[in-house]
């Protein structure tokens, strides 16, 4: 099992890396392959749409087929698409490769989280693993900005696609040495085909409508029809899930306050965080005159801050508990992003504009990963970790797209069509304040919705204590723990452990 954590972290890093690594290379892709300005946007959007639309399905497939087949299949798909993208000779081939990358990422991201939830018991071991998982995701996003500039300058745009091939090779090598992981669900479990189609189409339309607001106004017929269609499909999905015997998303899963709060908090956190750092990048390049590589380097303090925050969370979660740690981390993140609004100026510098707010916000964001992962898997049945993981990752992806779409509009309303640095800064500062408000709303939700934490050292339902008492389901029935799952996957089922009934 010693290879399991490196596999999960590598997958999380790679999936986050490919969200941002192509951004700096877009002008070179356009010049080499002949993209139109509108077509170039789909190099980013094709990945985001496939990734966001299929996350729920990817998480449920991990529950039904087992973690290992979905992990290996996702890695092979992601690696093959990366190789094809690096060798692409036309815009259509590159866009197809990016879409297939998104499909692979939708299978891999839920598995990475589920492997940690399955393999590490509640307590310090899981807290450390979740802290590292959060670091890997944040580092992948930040390193992607830097690596995209460096690789494009040194070896051309194709390198930003081909860089995934050795990463996939390592992950495949390590995955074959992980030992037994969670096996497939029982013989009675089936894939909810109707729910999968509705969730995939609904989420894809939602992300499509949100990312399309960069070129189509919110009031345009295209945007209204896309978002309206997404709403209808998602409502239909909810109705179907309440009536099917084997739902893609069990309705009772969100009845638990910790799970509901974790997903709401993740949605708001991602909305504010993604948008804020998008505007930091724009401000650095369009106002302060940074080049792409220099702008990427400027994000390194953010990586360091996330590491510090994750370490703090790992060491204090047993003492503070999920509720207080989420509230503290969310407050720091909101304060740091508000700092960008205060320090954004046309004559700003790295020290005044980037360093302080980046570190404060990153420490706060890093502190949220451990309690988020704990809350998102509270009272979740052993066979539904992929479901819970897919839900949390969907909240993150949709939140990021929603926040970016809304705050780009907010900034544009203030700065208008002007390209004057002073006008741009005014628009960016307004967006930073709005992003800080989203994080503050997430903090308030954690304080209001989460139950008060018990004292340190006790085994709480949220898994924040240091004891190792069994986690129980909604009806008080013990949920199978990691050791039980390892026995089952090895064919040595423990008759003393019964599968909990559905809530």
């Amino acid at each position: 099992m010693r290879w399991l954590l490196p596999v999960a972290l590598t997958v999380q890093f790679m999936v986050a890396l490919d969200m941002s690594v192509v951004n700096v290379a877009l002008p070179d892709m356009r010049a080499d392959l002949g993209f139109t300005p509108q077509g170039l946007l789909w190099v980013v959007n094709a990945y985001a749409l496939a990734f966001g639309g299929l996350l729920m399905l990817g998480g449920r497939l991990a529950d039904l087929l087992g973690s290992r087949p979905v992990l290996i299949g996702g890695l092979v798909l992601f690696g093959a698409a990366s190789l094809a993208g690096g060798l692409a000779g036309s815009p259509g081939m590159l866009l197809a490769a990016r879409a297939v990358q998104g499909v692979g990422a939708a299978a891999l991201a839920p598995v990475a989280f589920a492997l940690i939830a399955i393999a590490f018991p509640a307590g310090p071991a899981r807290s450390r693993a979740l802290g590292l998982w959060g670091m890997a995701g944040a580092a992948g996003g930040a390193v992607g900005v830097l690596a995209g500039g460096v690789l494009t300058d040194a070896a051309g745009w194709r390198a930003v696609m081909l860089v995934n091939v050795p990463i996939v090779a390592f992950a495949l090598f390590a995955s074959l040495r992980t030992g037994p992981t969670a096996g497939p669900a029982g013989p009675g479990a089936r894939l909810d085909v109707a729910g999968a189609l509705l969730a995939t189409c609904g989420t894809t339309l939602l992300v499509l409508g949100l990312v399309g607001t960069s070129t189509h106004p919110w009031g345009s017929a295209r945007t209204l029809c896309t978002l309206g269609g997404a709403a209808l499909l998602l409502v239909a999905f909810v109705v179907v899930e309440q009536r099917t015997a084997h739902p893609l998303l069990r309705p009772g899963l969100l009845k638990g306050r910790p799970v509901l709060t974790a997903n709401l908090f993740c949605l708001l956190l991602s909305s504010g965080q993604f948008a804020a750092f998008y505007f930091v990048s724009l401000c650095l390049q369009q106002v302060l005159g940074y080049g792409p590589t220099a702008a990427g380097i400027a994000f390194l303090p953010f990586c360091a801050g996330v590491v510090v925050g994750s370490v703090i969370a790992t060491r204090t979660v047993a003492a503070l508990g999920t509720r207080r740690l989420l509230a503290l981390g969310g407050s720091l993140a909101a304060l740091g992003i508000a700092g960008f609004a205060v320090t954004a100026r046309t004559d700003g510098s790295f020290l005044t504009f980037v360093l302080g707010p980046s570190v404060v916000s990153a420490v706060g964001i890093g502190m949220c990963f451990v309690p988020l992962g704990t809350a998102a898997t509270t009272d979740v049945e052993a066979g539904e970790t992929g479901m819970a993981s897919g839900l949390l990752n969907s909240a993150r992806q949709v939140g990021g797209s929603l926040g970016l779409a809304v705050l780009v509009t907010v900034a544009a309303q203030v700065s208008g069509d002007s390209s004057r640095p002073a006008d741009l800064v005014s628009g960016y500062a307004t967006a930073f304040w709005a992003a800080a408000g989203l994080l503050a709303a997430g903090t308030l939700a954690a304080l209001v919705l989460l139950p008060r934490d018990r004292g340190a050292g006790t085994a709480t339902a949220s898994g924040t204590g240091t004891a190792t008492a069994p986690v129980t389901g909604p009806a008080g029935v013990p949920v199978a723990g990691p050791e039980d799952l390892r026995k089952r996957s090895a064919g040595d089922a423990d008759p003393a452990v019964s599968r909990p009934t559905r809530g």
Side-chain angles (χ1 to χ4, degrees):
M1 298 298 288
R2 63 191 179 92
W3 284 97
L4 190 147
L5 185 58
V7 170
L9 299 183
T10 300
V11 165
Q12 180 70 1
F13 176 86
M14 182 177 67
V15 168
L17 178 80
D18 272 71
M19 289 294 295
S20 59
V21 73
V22 301
N23 292 351
V24 177
L26 292 176
D28 285 36
M29 292 176 177
R30 179 182 179 184
D32 189 21
L33 298 181
F35 274 98
T36 63
Q38 293 77 18
L40 195 63
L41 290 174
W42 286 99
V43 176
V44 177
N45 292 345
Y47 182 87
L49 284 174
F51 185 25
L54 293 169
L55 274 167
M56 285 296 302
L57 178 59
R60 190 56 181 153
L61 285 177
D63 290 333
L64 296 177
L65 303 179
S67 300
R68 185 190 294 275
V70 176
L71 173 66
I72 292 176
L75 285 171
V76 170
L77 197 63
F78 198 97
S82 299
L83 181 61
L87 301 176
S90 67
M93 186 175 178
L94 180 58
L95 294 181
R98 285 290 286 169
V100 176
Q101 273 189 323
V103 175
L108 291 172
V111 170
F113 181 83
L115 286 175
I116 291 175
I118 290 168
F120 293 91
R126 181 181 291 182
S127 296
R128 285 192 295 270
L130 288 173
L132 292 171
W133 172 78
M135 291 183 210
V143 170
V145 179
L146 174 59
V150 172
L151 289 172
T152 302
D153 287 341
W157 69 264
R158 297 180 187 274
V160 305
M161 299 292 292
L162 296 175
V163 71
N164 294 307
V165 176
I167 301 176
V168 167
F170 168 77
L172 279 171
F173 170 81
S175 67
L176 297 176
R177 287 162 169 74
T178 56
T181 58
R190 298 195 309 270
L191 178 64
D192 173 19
V193 177
L197 288 173
L198 288 170
T200 299
C201 295
T203 310
T204 301
L205 269 183
L206 177 61
V207 177
L208 176 63
L210 293 173
V211 299
T213 56
S214 59
T215 54
H216 298 82
W218 284 89
S220 67
R222 180 186 184 278
T223 299
L224 292 175
C225 289
T226 305
L227 295 181
L232 289 175
L233 288 171
L234 293 175
V235 169
F237 169 71
V238 172
V239 173
V240 167
E241 297 309 277
Q242 291 175 337
R243 298 180 178 181
T244 184
H246 303 280
L248 186 72
L249 174 62
R250 180 169 59 85
L253 190 67
L254 283 171
K255 290 181 180 179
R257 286 167 62 186
V259 176
L260 174 63
T261 306
N263 283 275
L264 178 59
F265 187 98
C266 188
L267 182 85
L268 293 169
L269 176 70
S270 300
S271 296
Q273 176 198 340
F274 285 18
F277 285 97
Y278 170 79
F279 288 112
V280 169
S281 178
L282 286 183
C283 193
L284 286 172
Q285 296 183 68
Q286 295 185 1
V287 176
L288 302 183
Y290 280 49
T293 301
I297 294 173
F299 276 88
L300 291 179
F302 175 75
C303 290
V306 168
V307 172
V308 172
S310 297
V311 171
I312 292 173
T314 300
R315 295 182 177 180
T316 61
V317 64
L320 293 178
T322 301
R323 178 175 179 268
R324 281 178 285 186
L325 194 54
L326 267 184
L328 180 58
S331 298
L332 280 176
L335 181 64
I337 290 177
F340 286 121
V342 173
T343 59
R345 298 177 57 182
T346 56
D347 59 349
S349 66
F350 173 79
L351 290 177
T352 60
F353 174 60
V354 178
L355 185 59
S358 288
V359 171
V360 174
S361 60
V363 169
I365 291 167
M367 291 174 67
C368 294
F369 293 129
V370 171
L372 264 181
T374 299
T377 53
T378 296
D379 295 339
V380 173
E381 297 180 9
E384 294 182 341
T385 52
M387 181 188 293
S389 176
L391 180 62
L392 186 68
N393 277 283
S394 295
R396 180 177 184 272
Q397 183 69 15
V398 171
S401 298
L402 177 62
L404 188 58
V406 171
L407 296 191
V408 163
T409 303
V410 169
Q413 291 294 321
V414 176
S415 58
D417 295 328
S418 174
S419 59
R420 292 177 59 245
D423 295 331
L424 292 175
V425 166
S426 296
Y428 299 158
T430 303
F432 287 135
W433 282 120
L438 291 171
L439 270 72
T443 301
L444 181 61
L447 288 172
V448 171
L449 295 177
L450 281 177
R452 292 186 179 276
D453 299 293
R454 300 178 189 175
T458 60
T460 69
S462 63
T464 58
T466 57
T468 56
V471 179
T472 59
V477 181
V479 173
E483 192 60 40
D484 304 314
L485 292 170
R486 286 194 286 270
K487 289 179 181 178
R488 290 179 186 178
S489 62
D492 181 20
D494 184 353
V497 179
S498 60
R499 181 173 178 81
T501 57
R502 292 190 178 274

